Amino acid sequence: PALADKRVRQAINYALDRDTLLESILLGYGKSTDQVFGPDSGAYVDDLDGTYDYDPAKAKKLLADAGSPDGFDLPLPAIPGFETPLAALTQQLADVGIRVQSEPVSTSTFLADLAAGKFPAVYFNYFQGEPWVAINQLISTNALYNPFKTTTPELQQLIDAVQTGGAESSELAKKVNEYVTDEAWFAPVYRIDQIYVYKSDVVSVEKQIQSAVPAIYNYTPAG
């Protein structure tokens, strides 16, 4: 129930030392971020990164203002493969009074359980794709990662504008990005570098949005 309060969601964001998490978990191979839309999406807003700079004192104050001065328990599914980042997040959240309760999950039923709203929140990795793809995966009432069908009339109006925006849809999606970032719907941590190697004297490669490794047609002979 605490997550219904915007101040609590913002407190979670202020509790995260993203730069330290990036260095300790990924050895710096990535970039810390406060938004779920990536730089190549067209909906990225440079000024949003830095919205929630690490500030545990502010996080504690927000929790107190929201009626949780002693913090609260936050159940999170313990998804296999995410043990290290989840442990780091657990420690940082504990520092402001948010007590993560790790709950074992079955990988065979995880997505079904997620869609059924069995978890109040979840930590996972997600690609930062094109705006309309991201909206329908993360934000709209049809999104898998919005199992509680959370929305507001203002947000729905912004989403409708993106859907009918044509060539302007990416620019219009920036408003969606700004809205969900301000409302702290998410607590993004970092964008992970996808690393691949090629011989520059043999081929040149063009990176491809929504793809960790470019498709074969993105490779051309050098020169």
Side-chain angles (χ1 to χ4, degrees):
L3 295 178
D5 194 308
K6 174 181 176 178
R7 293 168 295 185
V8 171
R9 301 192 302 271
Q10 290 179 326
I12 290 173
N13 274 276
Y14 282 118
L16 301 181
D17 185 351
R18 292 170 172 82
D19 291 339
T20 295
L21 292 171
L22 177 63
E23 288 298 327
S24 62
I25 298 171
L26 294 182
L27 303 179
Y29 287 100
K31 182 174 176 56
S32 56
T33 187
D34 297 338
Q35 55 190 303
V36 294
F37 291 88
D40 296 325
S41 69
Y44 176 81
V45 180
D46 187 67
D47 289 345
L48 289 180
D49 280 341
T51 299
Y52 299 107
D53 284 340
Y54 180 53
D55 192 338
K58 189 168 186 176
K60 291 178 181 179
K61 184 179 185 306
L62 284 166
L63 289 173
D65 291 347
S68 299
D70 299 320
F72 64 96
D73 294 335
L74 177 62
L76 285 180
I79 306 170
F82 292 100
E83 293 86 356
T84 298
L86 189 57
L89 288 169
T90 296
Q91 180 58 59
Q92 292 194 353
L93 292 174
D95 289 342
V96 302
I98 300 173
R99 299 173 293 276
V100 171
Q101 310 294 319
S102 294
E103 299 184 347
V105 296
S106 169
T107 54
S108 62
T109 63
F110 171 69
L111 287 180
D113 290 342
L114 175 65
K118 292 187 178 181
F119 312 117
V122 60
Y123 176 83
F124 65 100
N125 291 344
Y126 178 79
F127 72 92
Q128 295 187 308
E130 298 172 353
W132 190 241
V133 173
I135 287 170
N136 282 289
Q137 287 281 2
L138 296 169
I139 298 168
S140 78
T141 53
N142 296 320
L144 171 64
Y145 297 107
N146 182 12
F148 302 108
K149 312 301 180 187
T150 304
T151 192
T152 66
E154 180 183 359
L155 176 59
Q156 189 57 54
Q157 186 176 10
L158 294 173
I159 292 174
D160 291 343
V162 175
Q163 184 176 17
T164 59
E168 301 298 319
S169 60
S170 293
E171 191 68 24
L172 291 167
K174 290 181 179 180
K175 298 295 184 182
V176 176
N177 190 7
E178 291 167 347
Y179 184 93
V180 297
T181 301
D182 176 68
E183 290 291 318
W185 269 32
F186 306 94
V189 182
Y190 42 58
R191 289 187 295 274
I192 301 172
D193 284 348
Q194 301 285 1
I195 300 172
Y196 56 95
V197 179
Y198 63 95
K199 290 190 68 175
S200 60
D201 60 336
V202 176
V203 296
S204 61
V205 184
E206 181 180 350
K207 66 180 180 178
Q208 181 178 348
I209 191 171
Q210 296 181 199
S211 180
V213 177
I216 190 66
Y217 53 76
N218 286 56
Y219 294 76
T220 57

